[in-house]
């Protein structure tokens, strides 16, 4: 079992109280599993930010399987619910393999403050521990502080950094970074982008430009386009996934700050709604507080 499991378990404490705690209450001591019971479970799911559609789907699946298996005890109902959650969350959560002789490029997008820069630091650390050569690209050129913050994470994790002058073209920085990574034999490039622009530039247009520049420097890149979502923003995350998905197409999500929310059900809502897998989850601000997402581990941590 990974060390991360304990952190995940601790991080999910609020969600566990809210979701599993309430469902246990609803189910315990009920003489029969009637329609009303499943409706109550659905309400708890909605309250945990699973989203209305996902809550309805989960309820239906739960009821069907409970009937099939003639479940009657609360422990059985919870076990089936857990199974169904894993099924919704399952999918292609694999992170791209390192391709020998050519860098894998990750592009990070998301609105301001969701945890892009921090997540790059942590993922960089992860990759460095696997012995990969990692290059960060500071494409949030709109704030000098953004570059400095990424520089600190580069030092902490042992990654190198390419940046441009404040106010320089982020797409040009991305192009240079990816070209440099190819020339110098890096395994992975992690591209940081701005979450908010203090200029007349349009965030989505800038992001599209970066996306195209990366593809020009390295055909086929970015191999991973990750939307970083703050789990505490709840249903607004759905709107963000929609907007960013339209602009650049997403291959995965990084869900941060699960430690600060009782609404961890958002993981289910997003997975079910967009079909975009959660690939990483963050449960704190430290170097080791982010890990690859494992649906079974997540469900186990939630229900334990
Ligand atoms: N508790 C907790 N805090 C987190 C997590 N991930 C990031 N943070 C914090 O969230 C804040 C914002 O993180 P950043 O990485 O600067 O966010 P950003 O998306 O790069 O923000 P902009 O560059 O302004 O767009 C920081 O204080 C982080 O320490 C997490 O998983 N848990
Ligand atoms: Mg940032």
């Amino acid at each position: 079992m990974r060390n991360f499991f304990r952190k995940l378990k601790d991080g999910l404490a609020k969600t566990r109280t809210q979701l599993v705690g309430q469902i246990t209450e609803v189910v315990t001591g009920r003489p029969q599993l009637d329609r009303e019971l499943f409706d109550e479970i659905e309400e708890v799911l909605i309250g945990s930010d699973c989203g209305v559609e996902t809550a309805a789907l989960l309820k239906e699946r739960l009821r069907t399987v409970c009937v099939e298996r003639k479940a009657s005890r609360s422990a059985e109902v919870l076990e089936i619910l857990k199974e169904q959650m894993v099924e919704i969350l399952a999918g292609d959560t694999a992170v791209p393999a390192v391709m020998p002789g050519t860098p894998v490029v990750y592009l990070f997008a998301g609105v301001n403050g969701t945890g892009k820069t921090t997540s790059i630091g942590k993922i960089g650390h992860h990759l460095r521990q696997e012995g990969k050569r990692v290059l960060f690209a500071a494409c949030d050129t709109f704030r000098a502080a953004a570059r400095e913050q990424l520089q600190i994470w580069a030092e902490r994790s042992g990654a190198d950094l390419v940046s441009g002058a404040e106010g320089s073209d982020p797409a040009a920085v991305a192009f240079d970074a990816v070209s440099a990574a190819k020339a110098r034999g890096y395994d992975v490039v992690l591209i940081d982008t701005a979450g908010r622009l203090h200029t007349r530039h349009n965030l989505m247009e800038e992001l599209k430009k970066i996306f195209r520049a990366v593809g020009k420097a390295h055909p086929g890149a970015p191999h991973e386009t990750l939307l970083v979502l703050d789990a505490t923003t709840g249903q607004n995350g759905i709107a963000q996934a929609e907007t960013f998905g339209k602009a650049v197409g997403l291959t995965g999500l990084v869900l941060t700050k699960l430690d600060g929310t009782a609404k961890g059900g958002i993981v289910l809502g997003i997975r079910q709604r967009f079909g975009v897998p959660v690939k990483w989850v963050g449960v704190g601000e430290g170097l080791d507080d982010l890990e690859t997402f494992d649906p079974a581990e997540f469900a186990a941590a939630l229900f334990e």
Side-chain angles (χ1 to χ4, degrees), residues 116-117 140 143 146 149 192-193:
K116 294 179 292 298
T117 307
D140 182 352
R143 295 182 299 127
Q149 189 194 358
D192 194 17
T193 63

Coordinates of all heavy atoms in Angstrom, one line a residue, residues 116-117 140 143 146 149 192-193, ligand 2:
K116 N -2.0 25.1 -10.1 CA -1.1 24.7 -11.3 C 0.3 24.7 -11.0 O 1.0 23.6 -11.2 CB -1.3 25.7 -12.5 CG -2.7 25.7 -13.1 CD -2.8 26.7 -14.2 CE -2.7 28.2 -13.7 NZ -3.8 28.6 -12.8
T117 N 0.8 25.8 -10.5 CA 2.3 25.9 -10.2 C 2.7 24.9 -9.2 O 3.7 24.2 -9.3 CB 2.6 27.3 -9.8 OG1 2.1 28.2 -10.8 CG2 4.1 27.5 -9.7
D140 N 3.7 31.5 -17.5 CA 2.9 32.6 -16.9 C 3.9 33.8 -16.8 O 4.5 34.0 -15.8 CB 2.4 32.2 -15.5 CG 1.6 33.3 -14.9 OD1 1.5 34.4 -15.5 OD2 1.0 33.0 -13.8
R143 N 3.2 37.7 -14.6 CA 3.5 38.1 -13.3 C 5.0 37.6 -13.0 O 5.2 36.5 -13.2 CB 2.6 37.5 -12.2 CG 1.2 37.9 -12.3 CD 0.4 37.2 -11.1 NE 0.5 35.8 -11.2 CZ 0.8 35.0 -10.3 NH1 1.2 35.5 -9.1 NH2 0.8 33.7 -10.4
A146 N 5.2 34.8 -10.6 CA 4.8 33.5 -11.0 C 6.1 32.7 -11.4 O 6.2 31.5 -11.1 CB 3.9 33.5 -12.2
Q149 N 8.0 31.8 -8.3 CA 7.4 30.7 -7.6 C 7.8 29.3 -8.2 O 8.1 28.3 -7.6 CB 5.9 30.8 -7.6 CG 5.1 29.9 -6.7 CD 3.6 29.9 -7.0 OE1 3.1 30.6 -7.9 NE2 2.9 29.0 -6.3
D192 N 3.9 25.5 -17.3 CA 3.0 26.3 -16.4 C 2.3 27.5 -17.2 O 3.0 28.1 -18.0 CB 3.8 26.9 -15.2 CG 2.9 27.4 -14.1 OD1 1.8 27.1 -14.0 OD2 3.5 28.2 -13.3
T193 N 1.1 27.7 -16.9 CA 0.4 28.8 -17.7 C -0.3 29.7 -16.7 O -0.5 29.4 -15.5 CB -0.6 28.3 -18.7 OG1 -1.6 27.6 -18.0 CG2 0.0 27.3 -19.7
Ligands
LIG2 MG1 0.7 29.7 -10.9

